[in-house]
Amino acid sequence: MKFIQLLLGLFIPFMLCISSCNKDTEESGIINQLEGTKWKLKGFVDSETGKITLPIWTECNECFTITFDTDSTATGKSYLNLMWVDLNKTPLLRIETMIWPEDETLLNSVVQTESYSITENELRFIYGNNYILYEIIK
């Protein structure tokens, strides 16, 4: 009987440790998967109506893209301006150069980004009740 109690006394903490370790790995796995991924701006979404406003220059394949060089930082470009992302600082998106304000919607929303959410194929930079929607391309 004492052997069973001892066995249970060791087994239960061991299982709790394993389950909590797996949970941490799963949660951090989302962030770790960002390194090396490339995302393209799909548009600006009004959360209330679901309407997506497209950027004004959509024919440029490399424009309005960001590429994560670490699990929380990325660089990219709009049409003429350089951008960078830091998921640990607000605003999350920033315009690094201001050559020409080619897309007023982008510039106005970038400075307001306060949080983000990630799914397998979408990255949302949230500002107010709306969000900037990026889709994974790599």
Side-chain angles (χ1 to χ4, degrees), residues 26-130:
E26 290 170 9
E27 289 174 358
S28 66
I30 294 171
I31 297 297
N32 290 335
Q33 291 177 1
L34 287 177
E35 185 174 354
T37 59
K38 189 172 185 178
W39 302 78
K40 177 121 175 121
L41 176 67
K42 182 173 182 179
F44 307 91
V45 181
D46 181 319
S47 296
E48 291 179 14
T49 65
K51 179 184 174 194
I52 299 176
T53 302
L54 299 175
I56 54 177
W57 281 289
T58 56
E59 71 279 354
C60 176
N61 287 334
E62 289 300 313
C63 298
F64 302 101
T65 60
I66 55 174
T67 303
F68 280 86
D69 52 350
T70 70
D71 57 0
S72 63
T73 59
T75 56
K77 62 182 262 180
S78 55
Y79 190 71
L80 294 172
N81 297 311
L82 298 177
M83 298 176 56
W84 63 274
V85 176
D86 187 339
L87 299 179
N88 298 318
K89 296 179 184 177
T90 56
L92 303 172
L93 288 164
R94 297 188 183 168
I95 301 293
E96 200 167 305
T97 59
M98 187 59 70
I99 297 171
W100 184 57
E102 73 272 357
D103 193 330
E104 195 171 326
T105 306
L106 176 66
L107 297 175
N108 289 336
S109 57
V110 161
V111 297
Q112 299 177 56
T113 55
E114 50 199 35
S115 62
Y116 68 96
S117 67
I118 302 171
T119 64
E120 189 174 321
N121 298 316
E122 291 184 348
L123 174 58
R124 297 177 180 190
F125 292 101
I126 301 161
Y127 62 101
N129 293 326
N130 303 314

